[in-house]
Amino acid sequence: MNFTELALSRAGAADLKEFQAREGLFPSGREDALTVQRLTPYLLGYRRYTVKAGDTFYRLAREYDTTVQAIARANPEQDPRRLAIGQNLNIPFGFPVVPTDLPFTSELLALCIHGLTVRYPFITQRQIAVTAGGRPVTVLKIGCGQRSVLYNAAHHANEWITVPLVMKFLEDYARAISENRAIYELSAQQLFRRTQLYLVPMVDPDGVDLVTGAIPPGSSEYAAAQRIADFFPAIPFPSGWKANLRGVDLNLNYPAGWEQAEQNKRALGYGRPAPRDFVGYAPLDQPETAAMARLTRQVNPRLTLSFHSQGEVIYWKYLDREPPDALGIGQMFSQVSGYALEETPYASAFAGYKDWFIQEYDRPGYTVEVGLGENPLPLSQFDEIYKANLGILTLGLQL
């Protein structure tokens, strides 16, 4: 399924011609500029609407298959009793913003962020880095409590299934907050008042775009990655790609035993830019990792969760360091997910984000390896992955 197919399915149209006819456009079946403009609201999950005589939130909710409450949430500064002709409203549609049946790209993530921040204005966003390929690395924030936690996903390109995992959680959590409901049997509003969640859903947007096809063959970026990959013919290209476009494995670029990681990986043949396992030329020499370190220092989180794939395992230590409460929290995460709680194998025990966080803060930090199989995992596993990790994602806000 591509973007057009996603928009058409959300619009309830059988094909492009039917959609065009319904929108009063010439049914050419081609994606001209006006057609793309009309399809875009179905990707963002809301329509920008100009108030006409006789409009009310109730009438608009019925017309666009949504609720009065959803319209009110997306327009917090508008008084529904005093709508003025000509004023603009955001009208959320009735379907979720975050798709879970489509390979994620940086563009799809941007659409989801846009749609969610309109639906739920209490979600804020800011850019923390720009990659070598010019793509933004974005952090989202939700919550107003005294404590903070930091979640991240897709440090590795071909582990992009973790992006819809954390984004679906964000959407479900935001909706539960706005409707005063529970999430994983916990009051969402109480979690919101207790904890600030900072979420970086795609640490490696360049690499993700390479793996999921947003960087097409024939492009200069693809060709540059191909030249790096040619030195490592045993790694399938681009599906085996874990690095950023500079060929640096971002989860081996943190200053926690970085020299040991460099030694370990060089001995395995990864002493130069590669699809995986090249640690870079110095710790934090990549814009993505430098930004993650800066953000962590700014946020000063009580706990961090890093989502990777695969293995259905939770890693909780850095070498022999056991932060206070880390074992007990890890055991709880293991219980609610069914994932094994394990120590990181020595060969992989250095220079990761979790390693650096534990070293610097002596607080609980976890790497959660979701799903089973060969990366990139198929989306057919998504529902099972989400069910297994919902408890971890929610309890992390409370602990």
Side-chain angles (χ1 to χ4, degrees):
M1 180 183 291
N2 57 34
F3 282 8
T4 299
E5 291 167 339
L6 175 64
L8 290 174
S9 68
R10 288 176 166 183
D15 56 28
L16 201 56
K17 287 185 177 181
E18 179 184 325
F19 177 81
Q20 290 169 323
R22 202 171 68 190
E23 291 287 316
L25 307 175
F26 178 72
S28 65
R30 295 189 296 273
E31 293 184 47
D32 55 73
L34 189 54
T35 299
V36 171
Q37 183 184 60
R38 299 289 179 87
L39 285 169
T40 298
Y42 294 97
L43 296 174
L44 296 173
Y46 79 96
R47 180 184 295 277
R48 192 74 169 155
Y49 180 84
T50 302
V51 173
K52 301 179 179 61
D55 280 341
T56 64
F57 278 12
Y58 176 74
R59 192 194 72 75
L60 293 171
R62 294 193 64 183
E63 179 177 349
Y64 290 103
D65 190 27
T66 186
T67 66
V68 170
Q69 293 79 10
I71 297 174
R73 282 196 302 270
N75 301 276
E77 297 179 358
Q78 304 298 338
D79 186 341
R81 298 165 298 181
R82 298 182 179 181
L83 296 181
I85 295 173
Q87 78 175 92
N88 291 319
L89 296 174
N90 299 316
I91 310 295
F93 295 124
F95 52 78
V97 173
V98 179
T100 60
D101 56 355
L102 195 66
F104 255 74
T105 65
S106 62
E107 183 182 5
L108 180 55
L109 176 62
L111 290 169
C112 291
I113 290 172
H114 182 158
L116 288 179
T117 53
V118 168
R119 285 196 184 197
Y120 307 105
F122 50 84
I123 300 174
T124 61
Q125 64 162 314
R126 65 183 174 94
Q127 181 178 296
I128 61 171
V130 178
T131 67
R135 296 171 181 83
V137 179
T138 301
V139 62
L140 301 164
K141 175 179 175 283
I142 183 170
C144 58
Q146 293 299 308
R147 65 193 297 278
S148 63
V149 297
L150 198 162
Y151 296 174
N152 66 80
H155 260 88
H156 288 147
N158 64 355
E159 300 174 12
W160 58 262
I161 199 169
T162 58
V163 180
L165 169 64
V166 296
M167 289 300 291
K168 176 174 169 54
F169 171 73
L170 178 66
E171 181 167 17
D172 289 350
Y173 178 40
R175 183 170 181 177
I177 292 166
S178 64
E179 296 178 358
N180 193 18
R181 292 189 293 103
I183 183 167
Y184 202 75
E185 300 183 356
L186 296 173
S187 166
Q189 290 194 358
Q190 287 183 14
L191 293 173
F192 179 87
R193 291 191 293 268
R194 173 183 171 85
T195 302
Q196 300 174 57
L197 167 61
Y198 292 84
L199 171 63
V200 183
M202 191 182 289
V203 179
D204 183 11
D206 285 356
V208 168
D209 279 0
L210 177 66
V211 173
T212 57
I215 297 176
S219 68
S220 59
E221 287 184 317
Y222 191 96
Q226 179 75 72
R227 286 193 292 272
I228 292 173
D230 285 345
F231 286 95
F232 302 89
I235 300 175
F237 181 79
S239 64
W241 192 277
K242 296 176 67 174
N244 66 6
L245 286 184
R246 290 174 171 168
V248 175
D249 189 318
L250 296 178
N251 207 44
L252 291 170
N253 192 237
Y254 291 92
W258 180 87
E259 293 81 2
Q260 184 64 56
E262 197 275 340
Q263 192 176 104
N264 293 348
K265 299 305 181 182
R266 182 178 291 275
L268 295 173
Y270 297 103
R272 59 177 297 154
R276 55 176 295 163
D277 289 340
F278 175 60
V279 302
Y281 296 103
L284 304 181
D285 68 347
Q286 301 302 301
E288 301 93 338
T289 53
M292 285 296 299
R294 283 195 304 270
L295 176 66
T296 305
R297 295 186 183 106
Q298 294 164 2
V299 168
N300 192 27
R302 151 77 175 132
L303 172 149
T304 66
L305 294 175
S306 301
F307 288 91
H308 290 252
S309 63
Q310 48 74 42
E312 296 190 350
V313 63
I314 302 167
Y315 296 119
W316 69 285
K317 290 175 66 175
Y318 171 51
L319 299 179
D320 60 350
R321 301 181 188 216
E322 300 183 12
D325 303 325
L327 177 58
I329 293 172
Q331 290 171 334
M332 182 180 299
F333 287 163
S334 176
Q335 182 178 9
V336 299
S337 64
Y339 289 5
L341 184 67
E342 296 183 2
E343 299 181 17
T344 310
Y346 182 82
S348 304
F350 301 98
Y353 174 79
K354 177 263 295 176
D355 308 325
W356 172 77
F357 177 76
I358 292 174
Q359 171 187 275
E360 293 297 307
Y361 291 88
D362 194 30
R363 296 174 190 162
Y366 304 90
T367 296
V368 184
E369 299 278 0
V370 309
L372 288 173
E374 183 177 340
N375 290 321
L377 295 180
L379 281 167
S380 59
Q381 288 195 28
F382 181 83
D383 290 346
E384 181 180 349
I385 288 172
Y386 187 73
K387 181 179 179 181
N389 285 275
L390 179 58
I392 296 175
L393 287 155
T394 308
L395 290 172
L397 303 175
Q398 182 186 46
L399 299 170

